[in-house]
Amino acid sequence: MGTGSSKNPDCSSSHGSDDREDQGGGQLYVSLKMEENSYLLKSELIPHVYGSVPLVGSWDPSKALAMERESSSMWELSFVVPPNHETLDFKFLLKPKYSNSPCVVEEGPNRLLTGGTLQGDARSAVFRLSGGEVLLEYRVFIKADRVSPFDLAASWRAYQENLQPSTVRGIPDVSMNSVPESGTEEMEVIVPDPTIVYSSSGIVESKSVGTLSSLQKQDGQRGLFVDRGVGSPRLVKSPSLTTFTVDQNVHSEAKDPIPAAAGAVAAAAVADQMLGPKEDRHLAIVLVGLPARGKTFTAAKLTRYLRWLGHDTKHFNVGKYRRLKLGTNQSADFFRGDNPEGIEARNEVAALAMEDMIAWMQEGGQVGIFDATNSSRKRRNMLMRMAEGKCKIFFLETICNDRQIIERNIRLKIQQSPDYAEEPDFEAGYRDFRSRLDNYEKVYETVEEGSYIKMIDMVSGHGGQIQVNNISGYLPGRIVFFLVNTHLTPRPILLTRHGESRDNVRGRIGGDSVLSDTGEVYAKKLANFVEKRLKNERAASIWTSTLQRTILTANPIVGFPKIQWRALDEINAGVCDGMTYEEIKKNMPDEYESRKKDKLRYRYPRGESYLDVIQRLEPVIIELERQRAPVVVISHQAVLRALYAYFADRPLKEIPHIEVPLHTIIEIQMGVSGVQEKRYKLM
């Protein structure tokens, strides 16, 4: 096909992928690379390629091929040009990562590749941003080779000869279809994809497999949509009293009531939804405790943990409501127990926050964490009345008798709380907060009513106790287990991928190959770094997967115990193990497209999804929380994406796209002030 003329319309949507593109079926293999010469805006702009043939969008920017980040400064895209399109006219363009803003096309004439030869001189790609005021420049590397398609198809031939296709790829993760007996009704329980918009057609698109399945609608049939977590869509009983339908208005809202989850979370959800009362689908965790006892710290950790497991969780801080409504200039007298105006104002603000939390739950939210002192029975009884019939509620009380920890928390409070942001005198702020604390202590009533968990002297990590009263259900049980293992002891956690492997060089996923020469160099550099960084931390340990590339990376490290975790193994690519993304796209196009649509939920045939990886990593997270000494985790890209997302509190949908480059150490510092991050690029 001949060359086409360049057109540069604004992009109306982003259509990118982090996968390498198809081999196409032809012979001309093209490799394009762009190296950033400037770090300006590099995290917000993704390089793409578009051009004159359908493979690269036929000059439609919305169909441009996304380049993949090969290193911190290099982007790469490889593809095979079909035999009838060996004259390729193309340009580079930049698309915004998080918006629908117009794309930016490179300056200058089109680039022309004819029969594997680049016409004209190689030149840098220059982009003009911000109305022409900013220039962004990339060095360009273009390589074209003649290759045999048979060289790329060996693993696929073995797959065709030895593997029968799965017959259950179109079935959702959680489904139950009972066989109706004579004279009885049939019940069907289905967990649909969370991105579905339900319509009267009865057709549901399952993005995890990229197929369509029909929801049968028969007279006398009951249909119940079951959530994968605690919450669920609202149910509306029809006038016939024999059929349930989903409230269309709930799903037309922006709020998505169905969370992402798999395994045990999904199994527990089905049981709770079918056997438990309606209000149990939403959970309110109401914190109780004096100031400076670690309530907000506990709330933040719990929110992060539950979100990571797939539960839609939100932290409602009543102090923020108070400051928004009443301002930040409230003195200690405002918090006195004998100040009726102050008590009324604080109860009014608490009721407002509780109403917001319940409204959020009714729109699809699952777990609300209500963060306030809630130090009197009268306040707690008010909250229980408001929650009655709308959500399940239990109290989480934090009690700390360690004066050193309390003193440290008070000083952090003065430094970080917006209540004292305008107080230039630290000592004056300290005295005011001490007076506030005394006012709370005079009227404080410990929890003895309802369902509750009491954490007594747990934050130090040196023992303590947890008291549990009238706590039941899967999720409350998981919360108790998590809280038993959390503490405030500062310590670093170092996350790194294995050194470059030979399969990395060949572009093959999965496998169990040894390190390349570059990977062996990184292993030595990593050992030097760890021995210097942790020279005074002799209780530190090294965790690896059971795959040899992580074990070999850890080998040069001496002086620390090494522990292999099967849970840290790379995501199981199933029948695709050992293949390149180009081979998958060419030989298994349906699987390739399904993964491209939803990498979070996509499960490789006979393999795993990212949600599966999260489920098997939960014991690793619990143990990392429990550890009081530094830990070095040497693992794989998908696994480290999931672990990093937990500590950084990143949404589940972002996990498959988080950058975890080779030969880089991510240091997570855990402590009383939260989670902080540093990165070290060793090569």
Side-chain angles (χ1 to χ4, degrees):
M1 179 176 181
T3 63
S5 61
S6 177
K7 300 179 182 179
N8 303 328
D10 289 347
C11 299
S12 59
S13 63
S14 175
H15 185 73
S17 168
D18 65 349
D19 295 330
R20 295 175 183 175
E21 298 303 320
D22 189 12
Q23 295 286 347
Q27 304 288 324
L28 185 61
Y29 179 84
V30 178
S31 172
L32 305 177
K33 294 188 178 185
M34 292 176 63
E35 183 179 27
E36 294 166 330
N37 294 336
S38 168
Y39 289 94
L40 178 65
L41 300 176
K42 73 173 184 180
S43 60
E44 287 81 19
L45 296 173
I46 307 300
H48 287 63
V49 177
Y50 79 143
S52 58
V53 301
L55 181 65
V56 287
S58 297
W59 293 119
D60 182 352
S62 67
K63 298 179 181 179
L65 297 183
M67 302 187 76
E68 177 184 3
R69 186 177 285 281
E70 185 179 68
S71 66
S72 61
S73 62
M74 186 74 73
W75 295 85
E76 189 269 348
L77 175 65
S78 301
F79 54 88
V80 168
V81 180
N84 58 333
H85 294 105
E86 290 201 358
T87 296
L88 175 63
D89 199 4
F90 69 97
K91 296 190 84 167
F92 296 101
L93 59 84
L94 300 179
K95 286 188 179 183
K97 187 174 183 180
Y98 297 114
S99 73
N100 291 328
S101 303
C103 55
V104 183
V105 180
E106 69 166 310
E107 298 283 304
N110 298 342
R111 299 174 187 269
L112 180 61
L113 195 65
T114 303
T117 302
L118 181 66
Q119 306 300 312
D121 296 332
R123 68 179 192 273
S124 296
V126 178
F127 302 86
R128 195 174 296 275
L129 311 178
S130 303
E133 297 178 1
V134 179
L135 288 179
L136 193 60
E137 183 178 0
Y138 293 77
R139 293 178 62 194
V140 174
F141 304 89
I142 301 175
K143 182 180 179 181
D145 289 315
R146 294 282 178 178
V147 295
S148 166
F150 297 103
D151 293 339
L152 302 175
S155 59
W156 173 242
R157 287 199 301 273
Y159 168 79
Q160 288 180 310
E161 292 170 2
N162 300 306
L163 181 68
Q164 294 297 319
S166 170
T167 60
V168 298
R169 292 295 288 166
I171 297 179
D173 277 3
V174 184
S175 63
M176 182 177 72
N177 295 286
S178 58
V179 179
E181 298 178 2
S182 176
T184 63
E185 295 180 326
E186 178 182 359
M187 174 175 282
E188 183 178 35
V189 181
I190 301 174
V191 178
D193 188 274
T195 59
I196 296 168
V197 177
Y198 300 102
S199 64
S200 58
S201 66
I203 300 296
V204 172
E205 181 179 358
S206 173
K207 282 203 171 184
S208 62
V209 293
T211 59
L212 294 175
S213 59
S214 175
L215 294 179
Q216 297 177 357
K217 294 185 177 181
Q218 301 173 357
D219 293 337
Q221 182 187 50
R222 295 181 186 270
L224 179 64
F225 287 100
V226 180
D227 184 343
R228 298 189 185 209
V230 173
S232 78
R234 195 176 306 159
L235 296 176
V236 180
K237 183 175 286 189
S238 68
S240 68
L241 300 181
T242 60
T243 305
F244 288 95
T245 58
V246 176
D247 186 346
Q248 299 276 348
N249 292 330
V250 174
H251 291 279
S252 64
E253 298 171 356
K255 187 67 179 174
D256 185 356
I258 303 179
V265 174
V270 171
D272 288 349
Q273 300 274 345
M274 297 182 68
L275 302 177
K278 179 179 178 180
E279 58 266 25
D280 283 8
R281 297 169 189 166
H282 308 289
L283 179 63
I285 304 172
V286 176
L287 299 185
V288 179
L290 291 166
R293 263 55 175 188
K295 295 187 304 299
T296 299
F297 172 82
T298 301
K301 294 195 80 166
L302 197 52
T303 300
R304 184 158 46 88
Y305 172 68
L306 294 175
R307 283 176 179 167
W308 185 77
L309 284 181
H311 303 287
D312 189 4
T313 305
K314 190 172 182 179
H315 179 192
F316 292 81
N317 187 300
V318 178
K320 292 182 179 179
Y321 281 79
R322 169 176 56 78
R323 286 185 284 271
L324 287 171
K325 186 174 179 62
L326 304 173
T328 60
N329 56 346
Q330 308 300 324
S331 68
D333 288 341
F334 177 78
F335 301 93
R336 284 167 44 193
D338 58 356
N339 178 355
E341 291 82 5
I343 293 173
E344 182 180 358
R346 284 184 281 132
N347 283 338
E348 181 182 349
V349 169
L352 179 63
M354 190 68 174
E355 288 172 357
D356 279 358
M357 186 171 76
I358 291 172
W360 171 78
M361 289 179 174
Q362 290 174 343
E363 293 172 357
Q366 296 176 275
V367 184
I369 300 181
F370 191 83
D371 183 5
T373 56
N374 300 312
S375 54
S376 69
R377 291 189 185 91
K378 185 176 180 181
R379 163 74 72 82
R380 297 192 291 267
N381 287 334
M382 177 191 80
L383 298 176
M384 284 193 289
R385 287 194 301 271
M386 294 181 70
E388 188 173 357
K390 299 172 183 175
C391 63
K392 184 175 184 177
I393 187 172
F394 73 78
F395 299 107
L396 174 56
E397 184 175 13
T398 58
I399 299 172
C400 179
N401 299 305
D402 188 320
R403 290 295 158 188
Q404 283 187 323
I405 292 178
I406 295 172
E407 181 67 20
R408 179 187 64 189
N409 289 349
I410 290 174
R411 293 187 172 275
L412 281 172
K413 197 86 171 178
I414 305 303
Q415 295 169 0
Q416 300 175 359
S417 172
D419 286 344
Y420 298 98
E422 298 179 5
E423 175 57 72
D425 187 347
F426 178 86
E427 293 302 325
Y430 179 85
R431 288 192 298 271
D432 181 83
F433 189 83
R434 273 290 186 186
S435 298
R436 181 193 299 192
L437 187 53
D438 290 341
N439 291 331
Y440 273 113
E441 288 176 341
K442 291 174 183 176
V443 297
Y444 187 80
E445 297 172 298
T446 190
V447 176
E448 294 177 346
E449 67 277 7
S451 302
Y452 63 79
I453 300 170
K454 287 189 182 183
M455 298 176 62
I456 304 173
D457 293 327
M458 291 289 296
V459 293
S460 67
H462 298 283
Q465 59 178 298
I466 282 190
Q467 296 179 5
V468 179
N469 182 66
N470 195 27
I471 295 294
S472 62
Y474 171 80
L475 190 55
R478 299 306 304 164
I479 290 170
V480 171
F481 182 63
F482 176 75
L483 293 173
V484 167
N485 291 284
T486 60
H487 55 84
L488 290 173
T489 307
R491 74 276 190 199
I493 295 172
L494 306 179
L495 307 177
T496 184
R497 289 173 66 182
H498 54 81
E500 180 189 69
S501 70
R502 293 183 180 176
D503 276 348
N504 287 145
V505 175
R506 292 188 288 258
R508 299 196 174 276
I509 64 175
D512 190 20
S513 65
V514 299
L515 300 180
S516 68
D517 292 343
T518 303
E520 291 177 358
V521 172
Y522 176 70
K524 296 175 182 177
K525 288 181 176 289
L526 176 64
N528 292 333
F529 177 90
V530 169
E531 288 163 13
K532 291 177 182 177
R533 176 65 182 84
L534 304 179
K535 62 182 178 181
N536 297 321
E537 301 281 1
R538 305 322 297 176
S541 56
I542 314 297
W543 297 1
T544 73
S545 73
T546 63
L547 300 175
Q548 63 175 333
R549 54 190 182 273
T550 65
I551 298 170
L552 292 173
T553 302
N555 269 353
I557 303 174
V558 297
F560 302 99
K562 298 171 185 175
I563 302 165
Q564 295 179 20
W565 285 70
R566 180 71 179 268
L568 291 175
D569 284 3
E570 179 61 296
I571 187 171
N572 184 353
V575 300
C576 299
D577 189 78
M579 299 175 71
T580 66
Y581 287 121
E582 289 85 356
E583 289 172 336
I584 295 171
K585 187 173 184 181
K586 176 183 177 180
N587 298 309
M588 307 171 69
D590 291 343
E591 294 298 331
Y592 183 89
E593 289 302 320
S594 295
R595 177 178 178 270
K596 186 176 180 180
K597 287 179 181 178
D598 189 350
K599 287 180 67 176
L600 177 68
R601 293 171 182 81
Y602 170 78
R603 179 178 289 127
Y604 285 101
R606 303 193 183 183
E608 289 182 303
S609 68
Y610 270 92
L611 291 178
D612 295 327
V613 172
I614 290 170
Q615 287 296 306
R616 67 165 153 99
L617 283 176
E618 187 186 10
V620 178
I621 289 295
I622 295 295
E623 188 57 28
L624 286 173
E625 287 285 359
R626 194 185 70 84
Q627 290 281 319
R628 299 183 64 247
V631 177
V632 180
V633 180
I634 304 174
S635 189
H636 309 267
Q637 180 167 250
V639 171
L640 293 178
R641 282 171 168 167
L643 291 178
Y644 175 82
Y646 168 77
F647 292 112
D649 196 16
R650 297 279 288 273
L652 290 182
K653 64 182 180 181
E654 293 184 8
I655 289 180
H657 310 287
I658 292 173
E659 285 190 39
V660 184
L662 284 169
H663 307 154
T664 301
I665 299 169
I666 303 173
E667 179 176 326
I668 304 293
Q669 186 69 43
M670 300 178 64
V672 65
S673 59
V675 176
Q676 298 174 335
E677 172 190 340
K678 294 181 182 178
R679 293 201 177 205
Y680 305 92
K681 186 76 173 177
L682 298 192
M683 294 178 62

